[in-house]
Amino acid sequence: MHRWSQLFIPTLREAPADAEVASHKFLVRAGYIRQLAAGIYSYLFLGNRSFNKIMAIVREEMDKIGQEFYLPALHPRELWEASGRWSLIGENMFRLKDRKGADLCLGFTHEEVMTEIARKELRSYKQLPQIWYQIQTKFRDEPRPKSGLLRVRQFIMKDSYSFDIDAAGLDASYLKHRQAYKNIFDRCGLKYMVIEAHSGAMGGSQSEEFMVRTPAGEDQIVSCEKCDYAANMEKAISRLEPVSDLAAEGDGKPLLVHTPGMKTIEEVAKFLGVAPNNKIKTLAYVMEEKDKKSGKASTRPVIALMRGDHQLNETKLLTALAGKQTRLMQEEEIVQLFKSPAGFLGPLGVEWASNTNEADKPILLVDSALKGRTNLISGANKEDYHLKNVTPGRDFQPSAYADLRSVSAGEPCPKCGAPLRIDTAVEIGHIFKLGYKYSESMGARVLDKNGKEVIPIMGSYGIGIERILTAAVEQSNDENGFSLPLQIAPFDIVVTPTNVSDEKIRSAAENLACRLLEKGYDVLLDDRDERPGVKFKDADLVGIPFRVNVGKKVTDDTVEVVRRSTREIQDVSIAAIIEYFEQNLRPAR
RNA sequence: CGGGGAGUGGCUCAGCCUGGUAGAGCACCUGGUUCGGGACCAGGGGGUCGGAGGUUCAAAUCCUCUCUCCCCGACCA
């Protein structure tokens, strides 16, 4: 029997001054966690119990599709050099040296270790498919840990990796995970969304994220108010409302107009009496490339054209450039390329690469929203001048058209046309088809049916354990604390005798708690010699879903059952209490 | 890394401007009265004022350096 009086549950009346988001404040106040350093937390009794319940659910569902491993947290440098990520990851990786001076790192993730095992051990297609998972600590030296457990430097992650002989196999492994994840998050009692995700510049064909809406989140997600369309900002698209082109002026060819001092889209549009969507926005970036052989760094201009009222999404730009990093162009570089100061830039008068692979010439990427438009206004590459009658494809040739635009709230859903909404959310899980990235670079090979050597195809799938608890708290808090879903709460029921010095009350509570315990419920008996108000406040704070108040009504053989989530109070006779929970609690577990 | 804020008892904070050797509330310990939504009375314990250096007869307070934490931004396989 867990007796509150003997336990360490350090609840606080006030939140620590440095806590900002609800889950951080309440998890500290409720005695679940304590901070040790920036982004590093100790999990105390209640927190640990909750995490154990979450991990038990994850294990049960993962065991249906895969096998659990336990892997090292310390990795040798060589392992990470094999995949190329020792230098790629940079400062986000915790690195250390052993006594001999050899370089090690703390496990940032486990693709490398898993692939190393696969490389050494997998020989034949007959051994495939494999799904291996682990629930372990990851270390990331985040530049800015924040929001309590939401962004930390040490955290528990369930990650799994699938190895298949071909793409069809990967599809199957991916779908197995998708289903397992739904089972897990459903059982954890979370309201979540599955959204299309940007799969990263490093290959990967399909990717979805499991997101929980909360203002505490760091990600922006786009979803449809009517249908099931949902995607993250880097991936989201929308239908465009039709816009009207301007009529051609003069002979219809690009026409120079004087626009003194008009630099912004708004200024020019207003000055010329046109809508911003008739304007071309010209954004200048620089792509920095390294020659693979010589190692020499070189730069190459990348110009992105957007509709005047649209925003460029830099991740989409990155995708359009096959993962090559860009930075904004400096003023001197702009003048060098365009012979004009910023504010009057446009696509005419510069010789562009005919496609994105053609070297040496600047790349001109044009957002798809400009495709088919005519008689637009662009900068003239001449101070204080713009051009009218600019028509893409006629007056200039893009290197490529691409989707570069960030979706805005209210735009029509690409599937059904209903308005899209944008919310902040927390990512609790991510599944994606990795492809051959690690198996190829690290040299994993198996023989297929024909005795031919093939590279196994991989998938990678993660769940943030702490984020499940955090998201649950974010979803269910009120002014008194939070209310955890039954499945992940540290206890099912707290039994609260209102006065332990009243022998009748004390023994009735004791008795009742024992009976519930025997039935297999997780029961916490609040046997502290405290006033009722203190106990009620604490019980509300720590989020246990059910509370049984044992008070004066014991003389009538009656107790009260209080549901934390709804505040609903019900009198139940002591004789019927087991029956009550068998009906109201058991089915939810 | 850029910008902003904060380090004073376990927690929340006052004191700092204008130097004189540390306070409040909560928490904790003892005794008593209480006992259905964070009780009351009496007594008590606990702080090298983040650290180092400097100025001064004297530094929580002024100056310099440094460490840590939080927030915004950048970043985020």
Side-chain angles (χ1 to χ4, degrees):
Chain A
M1 170 73 71
H2 288 284
R3 294 167 192 279
W4 200 312
S5 66
Q6 324 267 299
L7 297 171
F8 182 64
I9 304 175
T11 58
L12 299 174
R13 193 181 287 233
E14 280 167 294
D18 52 16
E20 198 80 5
V21 301
S23 60
H24 185 196
K25 286 181 186 164
F26 284 128
L27 288 173
V28 172
R29 280 191 57 199
Y32 277 54
I33 61 170
R34 286 293 185 264
Q35 184 173 28
L36 183 63
I40 304 177
Y41 286 83
S42 303
Y43 305 152
L44 310 186
F45 176 67
L46 289 184
N48 191 239
R49 271 184 85 88
S50 184
F51 288 132
N52 281 338
K53 290 205 171 181
I54 293 167
M55 289 189 281
I57 291 171
V58 172
R59 276 204 174 89
E60 266 184 48
E61 295 300 329
M62 287 306 299
D63 282 340
K64 292 178 186 170
I65 67 166
Q67 308 147 67
E68 184 174 9
F69 286 15
Y70 182 87
L71 302 177
L74 273 174
H75 303 175
R77 171 179 184 158
E78 292 70 30
L79 181 69
W80 285 81
E81 284 193 328
S83 72
R85 290 209 284 182
W86 179 264
S87 54
L88 198 72
I89 288 177
E91 303 226 282
N92 269 24
M93 186 184 260
F94 281 106
R95 296 160 206 259
L96 63 156
K97 283 186 193 297
D98 68 12
R99 57 170 53 189
K100 295 177 208 152
D103 288 314
L104 299 165
C105 67
L106 293 178
F108 181 91
T109 171
H110 284 76
E111 275 90 0
E112 276 79 359
V113 179
M114 285 287 195
T115 311
E116 171 74 0
I117 295 167
R119 182 183 74 79
K120 284 186 168 160
E121 312 290 339
L122 295 178
R123 292 282 167 264
S124 160
Y125 73 95
K126 291 177 190 168
Q127 294 170 293
L128 300 182
Q130 290 291 331
I131 292 176
W132 300 341
Y133 81 95
Q134 56 149 359
I135 302 177
Q136 289 177 226
T137 303
K138 304 275 186 277
F139 299 89
R140 296 182 189 182
D141 197 357
E142 291 288 341
R144 186 149 101 79
K146 60 176 201 175
S147 308
L149 291 186
L150 274 181
R151 188 160 211 69
V152 288
R153 297 195 292 169
Q154 167 175 349
F155 57 98
I156 307 169
M157 183 170 172
K158 187 291 302 178
D159 52 327
S160 48
Y161 304 91
S162 63
F163 300 88
D164 282 279
I165 193 74
D166 56 20
L170 174 58
D171 287 347
S173 294
Y174 182 89
L175 287 176
K176 279 185 184 174
H177 276 90
R178 197 174 195 277
Q179 189 56 51
Y181 276 36
K182 284 183 154 187
N183 296 345
I184 288 166
F185 298 131
D186 285 340
R187 286 183 62 186
C188 287
L190 290 175
K191 279 178 248 148
Y192 63 94
M193 301 167 57
V194 187
I195 71 168
E196 287 178 31
H198 170 72
S199 49
M202 304 294 179
S205 49
Q206 190 183 3
S207 171
E208 287 166 295
E209 289 168 344
F210 292 75
M211 309 291 294
V212 173
R213 275 192 193 127
T214 155
E218 304 190 282
D219 295 324
Q220 299 278 305
I221 59 169
V222 176
S223 59
C224 176
E225 293 183 357
K226 286 260 171 61
C227 76
D228 64 351
Y229 178 76
N232 69 18
M233 277 305 267
E234 288 77 45
K235 184 86 179 180
I237 51 174
S238 66
R239 245 181 244 175
L240 282 177
E241 306 275 12
V243 290
S244 46
D245 285 326
L246 298 171
E249 289 186 35
D251 60 1
K253 289 184 183 152
L255 181 69
L256 205 60
V257 286
H258 190 48
T259 50
M262 308 289 164
K263 289 189 170 186
T264 66
I265 301 283
E266 289 70 30
E267 286 168 355
V268 175
K270 203 174 170 188
F271 182 75
L272 297 175
V274 302
N277 65 42
N278 289 117
K279 177 90 176 55
I280 291 176
K281 186 190 284 188
T282 305
L283 299 163
Y285 287 82
V286 174
M287 183 164 90
E288 294 185 316
E289 292 179 291
K290 250 189 195 169
D291 188 278
K292 274 179 191 159
K293 283 177 188 164
S294 67
K296 269 186 191 167
S298 60
T299 61
R300 193 170 164 202
V302 175
I303 308 308
L305 301 190
M306 306 296 299
R307 204 172 89 180
D309 56 333
H310 286 163
Q311 293 295 318
L312 178 117
N313 183 299
E314 295 202 1
T315 308
K316 287 186 172 179
L317 178 65
L318 193 74
T319 306
L321 295 170
K324 302 221 179 69
Q325 289 289 342
T326 54
R327 60 167 171 84
L328 274 172
M329 217 180 236
Q330 311 276 330
E331 184 70 29
E332 314 86 71
E333 294 170 307
I334 287 175
V335 174
Q336 196 185 349
L337 178 67
F338 290 97
K339 320 280 185 253
S340 159
F344 307 96
L345 305 184
L348 272 70
V350 179
E351 200 176 332
W352 305 106
S354 61
N355 60 62
T356 52
N357 292 324
E358 188 187 339
D360 304 331
K361 287 183 196 159
I363 293 173
L364 181 67
L365 288 175
V366 179
D367 184 65
S368 315
L370 292 175
K371 205 170 186 174
R373 298 291 306 281
T374 57
N375 300 322
L376 297 159
I377 314 274
S378 84
N381 293 330
K382 184 177 177 190
E383 189 159 7
D384 292 340
Y385 285 91
H386 280 76
L387 289 172
K388 289 183 170 180
N389 298 339
V390 175
T391 299
R394 181 192 72 182
D395 301 321
F396 63 92
Q397 290 302 325
S399 309
Y401 284 100
D403 173 35
L404 302 174
R405 174 175 70 92
S406 279
V407 165
S408 300
E411 289 177 354
C413 168
K415 272 193 181 172
C416 75
L420 292 173
R421 55 184 282 182
I422 297 181
D423 298 277
T424 56
V426 168
E427 180 185 347
I428 51 172
H430 192 172
I431 54 179
F432 82 104
K433 297 180 181 174
L434 256 185
Y436 299 101
K437 179 174 159 56
Y438 297 94
S439 45
E440 183 173 26
S441 63
M442 298 184 64
R445 304 285 184 273
V446 297
L447 295 182
D448 70 7
K449 272 182 190 152
N450 308 312
K452 204 180 121 206
E453 194 170 70
V454 296
I455 303 169
I457 187 165
M458 291 176 62
S460 165
Y461 318 88
I463 290 179
I465 301 297
E466 286 90 343
R467 283 186 174 182
I468 292 179
L469 176 62
T470 309
V473 174
E474 290 290 339
Q475 273 187 350
S476 71
N477 64 81
D478 56 25
E479 65 281 1
N480 296 303
F482 54 92
S483 162
L484 287 182
L486 190 63
Q487 303 86 334
I488 66 171
F491 289 95
D492 299 328
I493 306 164
V494 53
V495 175
T496 308
T498 55
N499 184 350
V500 290
S501 38
D502 182 323
E503 181 52 27
K504 207 177 264 174
I505 290 175
R506 196 200 59 76
S507 63
E510 186 95 14
N511 232 298
L512 193 142
C514 282
R515 285 169 56 213
L516 290 167
L517 194 67
E518 279 165 19
K519 279 286 172 185
Y521 295 110
D522 279 331
V523 181
L524 174 59
L525 177 63
D526 191 354
D527 60 340
R528 292 176 298 168
D529 185 10
E530 288 286 354
R531 296 165 63 85
V534 173
K535 297 185 177 192
F536 296 160
K537 288 282 186 195
D538 270 345
D540 283 351
L541 181 59
V542 300
I544 297 171
F546 288 92
R547 181 172 91 223
V548 179
N549 289 339
V550 182
K552 288 177 191 137
K553 294 176 192 164
V554 284
T555 47
D556 304 328
D557 288 324
T558 300
V559 294
E560 288 165 356
V561 178
V562 185
R563 277 181 195 255
R564 175 62 182 89
S565 55
T566 58
R567 285 302 178 82
E568 187 188 334
I569 303 176
Q570 199 176 337
D571 281 351
V572 178
S573 85
I574 293 180
I577 195 77
I578 299 291
E579 180 59 22
Y580 175 90
F581 283 114
E582 291 293 309
Q583 278 180 13
N584 291 283
L585 192 157
R586 180 79 66 191
R589 284 177 98 190

